[in-house]
Coordinates of all heavy atoms in Angstrom, one line a residue:
E1 N -8.6 -5.6 13.4 CA -7.5 -5.4 14.3 C -6.2 -5.0 13.5 O -6.1 -5.2 12.3 CB -7.2 -6.7 15.1 CG -6.7 -7.9 14.3 CD -6.4 -9.1 15.2 OE1 -7.1 -9.2 16.2 OE2 -5.6 -9.9 14.8
V2 N -5.3 -4.3 14.2 CA -4.1 -3.9 13.6 C -2.9 -4.6 14.3 O -2.9 -4.7 15.6 CB -3.9 -2.4 13.8 CG1 -2.5 -1.9 13.4 CG2 -4.9 -1.7 12.9
S3 N -2.0 -5.1 13.5 CA -0.7 -5.6 14.0 C 0.4 -5.0 13.3 O 0.5 -5.2 12.0 CB -0.7 -7.2 13.9 OG 0.5 -7.7 14.3
E4 N 1.2 -4.2 14.0 CA 2.2 -3.4 13.3 C 1.6 -2.5 12.3 O 0.8 -1.7 12.6 CB 3.4 -4.3 12.8 CG 4.1 -5.0 13.9 CD 5.2 -5.9 13.4 OE1 5.6 -5.8 12.3 OE2 5.7 -6.7 14.3
S5 N 2.0 -2.7 11.0 CA 1.4 -1.8 9.9 C 0.4 -2.5 9.1 O 0.1 -2.1 7.9 CB 2.5 -1.2 9.1 OG 3.2 -2.3 8.4
T6 N -0.2 -3.6 9.6 CA -1.2 -4.4 8.8 C -2.6 -4.3 9.5 O -2.7 -4.6 10.7 CB -0.8 -5.8 8.7 OG1 0.5 -5.8 8.0 CG2 -1.8 -6.6 7.8
L7 N -3.6 -4.0 8.7 CA -5.0 -4.0 9.2 C -5.5 -5.4 8.7 O -5.5 -5.7 7.6 CB -5.8 -2.9 8.5 CG -7.3 -2.9 8.7 CD1 -7.6 -2.7 10.2 CD2 -8.0 -1.9 7.8
S8 N -6.0 -6.1 9.7 CA -6.6 -7.5 9.4 C -8.1 -7.4 9.7 O -8.5 -6.9 10.7 CB -5.9 -8.5 10.3 OG -4.6 -8.6 10.0
V9 N -8.8 -8.0 8.7 CA -10.3 -8.1 8.9 C -10.7 -9.5 8.7 O -10.2 -10.2 7.7 CB -11.0 -7.2 7.8 CG1 -12.5 -7.0 8.1 CG2 -10.3 -5.8 7.7
R10 N -11.6 -10.0 9.5 CA -12.1 -11.3 9.4 C -13.6 -11.3 9.5 O -14.2 -10.7 10.4 CB -11.6 -12.2 10.6 CG -10.1 -12.2 10.8 CD -9.4 -13.1 9.8 NE -8.0 -13.2 10.1 CZ -7.1 -12.5 9.4 NH1 -7.5 -11.7 8.4 NH2 -5.8 -12.6 9.6
W11 N -14.3 -11.9 8.5 CA -15.7 -12.0 8.5 C -16.1 -13.5 8.7 O -15.4 -14.4 8.3 CB -16.3 -11.7 7.1 CG -16.2 -10.2 6.7 CD1 -17.3 -9.3 6.9 CD2 -15.2 -9.5 6.1 NE1 -16.9 -8.1 6.4 CE2 -15.6 -8.2 5.9 CE3 -13.9 -9.8 5.7 CZ2 -14.8 -7.2 5.3 CZ3 -13.1 -8.9 5.1 CH2 -13.6 -7.6 4.9
T12 N -17.3 -13.6 9.4 CA -17.9 -14.9 9.5 C -19.4 -14.7 9.1 O -20.0 -13.8 9.7 CB -17.8 -15.5 10.9 OG1 -16.4 -15.5 11.3 CG2 -18.4 -16.9 11.0
A13 N -19.9 -15.5 8.2 CA -21.3 -15.3 7.8 C -22.0 -16.6 7.6 O -21.4 -17.7 7.4 CB -21.3 -14.5 6.4
D14 N -23.4 -16.5 7.6 CA -24.2 -17.7 7.4 C -24.5 -17.9 5.9 O -24.7 -19.0 5.5 CB -25.6 -17.5 8.1 CG -25.4 -17.5 9.6 OD1 -24.5 -18.1 10.2 OD2 -26.3 -16.9 10.3
E15 N -24.5 -16.8 5.1 CA -24.8 -17.0 3.7 C -23.8 -16.2 2.9 O -23.3 -15.2 3.2 CB -26.2 -16.3 3.5 CG -27.3 -16.9 4.2 CD -28.6 -16.2 3.9 OE1 -28.8 -15.5 2.9 OE2 -29.5 -16.2 4.8
A16 N -23.5 -16.8 1.7 CA -22.5 -16.2 0.8 C -23.0 -14.8 0.3 O -22.1 -13.9 0.2 CB -22.3 -17.1 -0.4
R17 N -24.2 -14.6 0.1 CA -24.7 -13.3 -0.4 C -24.5 -12.2 0.7 O -24.0 -11.1 0.3 CB -26.2 -13.4 -0.6 CG -26.9 -12.1 -1.1 CD -28.4 -12.3 -1.3 NE -29.0 -12.7 -0.1 CZ -29.4 -11.9 0.9 NH1 -29.1 -10.6 0.9 NH2 -30.0 -12.4 2.0
I18 N -24.7 -12.5 1.9 CA -24.5 -11.5 3.0 C -23.0 -11.2 3.1 O -22.6 -10.1 3.3 CB -25.0 -12.1 4.3 CG1 -26.5 -12.3 4.3 CG2 -24.6 -11.2 5.5 CD1 -27.1 -13.0 5.5
L19 N -22.2 -12.3 3.0 CA -20.7 -12.1 3.1 C -20.2 -11.2 1.9 O -19.5 -10.3 2.1 CB -20.0 -13.4 3.0 CG -18.5 -13.5 3.1 CD1 -18.0 -12.8 4.4 CD2 -18.0 -14.9 3.0
R20 N -20.7 -11.5 0.7 CA -20.3 -10.7 -0.5 C -20.7 -9.2 -0.3 O -19.9 -8.4 -0.6 CB -21.0 -11.3 -1.7 CG -20.7 -10.6 -3.0 CD -21.3 -11.2 -4.2 NE -22.7 -11.5 -4.0 CZ -23.8 -10.6 -4.1 NH1 -23.5 -9.3 -4.3 NH2 -25.0 -11.0 -3.9
V21 N -21.9 -9.0 0.1 CA -22.3 -7.6 0.3 C -21.5 -6.9 1.3 O -21.0 -5.7 1.2 CB -23.8 -7.5 0.7 CG1 -24.2 -6.1 1.1 CG2 -24.7 -8.0 -0.5
S22 N -21.2 -7.5 2.5 CA -20.4 -6.9 3.5 C -19.0 -6.6 3.1 O -18.4 -5.6 3.3 CB -20.4 -7.8 4.8 OG -19.6 -7.3 5.8
V23 N -18.4 -7.6 2.4 CA -17.0 -7.4 2.0 C -16.9 -6.3 0.9 O -16.0 -5.4 1.0 CB -16.4 -8.7 1.4 CG1 -15.1 -8.5 0.7 CG2 -16.2 -9.8 2.5
G24 N -17.9 -6.3 0.0 CA -17.9 -5.3 -1.0 C -18.1 -3.9 -0.4 O -17.4 -2.9 -0.8
S25 N -19.0 -3.7 0.5 CA -19.2 -2.5 1.2 C -17.9 -2.0 2.0 O -17.5 -0.9 1.9 CB -20.3 -2.6 2.2 OG -20.5 -1.4 2.9
F26 N -17.3 -3.0 2.6 CA -16.0 -2.7 3.4 C -14.9 -2.2 2.4 O -14.2 -1.2 2.7 CB -15.5 -3.9 4.2 CG -14.2 -3.7 4.9 CD1 -14.2 -3.0 6.1 CD2 -13.0 -4.0 4.3 CE1 -13.0 -2.8 6.7 CE2 -11.8 -3.8 4.9 CZ -11.8 -3.2 6.1
L27 N -14.8 -2.9 1.3 CA -13.8 -2.5 0.3 C -14.0 -1.1 -0.2 O -13.1 -0.3 -0.5 CB -13.7 -3.5 -0.8 CG -13.1 -4.9 -0.4 CD1 -13.2 -5.9 -1.6 CD2 -11.7 -4.8 0.1
D28 N -15.3 -0.7 -0.5 CA -15.6 0.6 -0.9 C -15.2 1.7 0.2 O -14.6 2.7 -0.2 CB -17.1 0.8 -1.1 CG -17.6 0.1 -2.4 OD1 -16.8 -0.3 -3.2 OD2 -18.8 -0.2 -2.5
H29 N -15.5 1.4 1.4 CA -15.1 2.3 2.5 C -13.6 2.3 2.7 O -13.0 3.4 2.9 CB -15.7 1.9 3.8 CG -17.2 2.1 3.9 ND1 -18.1 1.1 3.8 CD2 -17.9 3.3 4.0 CE1 -19.3 1.7 3.9 NE2 -19.2 3.0 4.0
L30 N -12.9 1.2 2.6 CA -11.5 1.1 2.7 C -10.8 2.0 1.6 O -9.9 2.7 1.8 CB -11.0 -0.3 2.6 CG -9.5 -0.5 2.6 CD1 -8.8 0.0 3.9 CD2 -9.1 -2.0 2.4
S31 N -11.3 1.9 0.4 CA -10.8 2.6 -0.8 C -10.9 4.1 -0.5 O -10.0 4.9 -0.7 CB -11.6 2.3 -2.0 OG -11.2 3.1 -3.1
L32 N -12.1 4.6 0.1 CA -12.3 6.0 0.4 C -11.3 6.4 1.5 O -10.7 7.5 1.4 CB -13.7 6.2 0.9 CG -14.1 7.6 1.2 CD1 -13.9 8.6 0.0 CD2 -15.5 7.7 1.7
V33 N -11.1 5.6 2.5 CA -10.1 5.9 3.6 C -8.7 6.1 3.0 O -8.0 7.0 3.3 CB -10.1 4.9 4.7 CG1 -9.0 5.0 5.6 CG2 -11.5 4.9 5.4
I34 N -8.3 5.2 2.1 CA -6.9 5.2 1.5 C -6.8 6.5 0.7 O -5.8 7.2 0.7 CB -6.6 3.9 0.8 CG1 -6.5 2.8 1.8 CG2 -5.4 4.1 -0.1 CD1 -6.4 1.4 1.1
E35 N -7.8 6.7 -0.2 CA -7.8 7.9 -1.0 C -7.7 9.2 -0.2 O -6.9 10.1 -0.5 CB -9.0 8.0 -1.9 CG -9.0 7.0 -3.0 CD -10.3 7.0 -3.8 OE1 -11.1 8.0 -3.7 OE2 -10.6 6.0 -4.5
T36 N -8.4 9.2 0.9 CA -8.4 10.4 1.8 C -7.0 10.6 2.4 O -6.4 11.7 2.5 CB -9.4 10.3 2.9 OG1 -10.7 10.2 2.3 CG2 -9.4 11.5 3.8
M37 N -6.4 9.5 2.9 CA -5.1 9.6 3.5 C -4.0 10.0 2.4 O -3.1 10.8 2.7 CB -4.7 8.2 4.1 CG -5.4 8.0 5.4 SD -4.7 6.6 6.4 CE -5.1 5.2 5.5
D38 N -4.2 9.5 1.2 CA -3.3 9.9 0.1 C -3.4 11.4 -0.2 O -2.4 12.1 -0.4 CB -3.5 9.1 -1.1 CG -3.0 7.7 -1.0 OD1 -2.2 7.4 -0.1 OD2 -3.4 6.9 -1.9
A39 N -4.6 11.9 -0.1 CA -4.9 13.3 -0.5 C -4.3 14.3 0.6 O -3.8 15.3 0.2 CB -6.4 13.6 -0.6
F40 N -4.3 13.8 1.8 CA -3.8 14.7 2.9 C -2.3 14.4 3.3 O -1.7 15.1 4.1 CB -4.6 14.5 4.2 CG -5.9 15.2 4.0 CD1 -7.1 14.5 3.6 CD2 -6.1 16.6 4.3 CE1 -8.3 15.2 3.5 CE2 -7.3 17.2 4.1 CZ -8.4 16.5 3.7
G41 N -1.7 13.4 2.7 CA -0.3 13.0 2.9 C -0.2 12.2 4.2 O -1.1 11.9 4.9
P42 N 1.1 11.8 4.5 CA 1.3 10.9 5.6 C 1.0 11.7 6.9 O 1.2 12.9 7.0 CB 2.8 10.6 5.5 CG 3.4 11.5 4.5 CD 2.3 12.1 3.7

């Protein structure tokens, strides 16, 4: 969800391994989104 200029993400998982993989994958995608926005400007 977004509130003003902050993107908030909440995970709930049954196992630590599943949580770790999901968070890691999300951070990879987030990094790509941020790099793309930087490349194209505001």
Side-chain angles (χ1 to χ4, degrees):
E1 64 182 29
V2 168
S3 177
E4 297 181 12
S5 63
T6 300
L7 172 67
S8 297
V9 190
R10 306 283 182 261
W11 287 265
T12 303
D14 294 335
E15 299 176 27
R17 179 183 57 83
I18 296 169
L19 181 61
R20 178 180 46 81
V21 170
S22 179
V23 171
S25 176
F26 177 83
L27 291 174
D28 288 343
H29 288 108
L30 175 63
S31 176
L32 181 60
V33 167
I34 291 171
E35 287 175 19
T36 302
M37 285 194 290
D38 285 346
F40 287 95

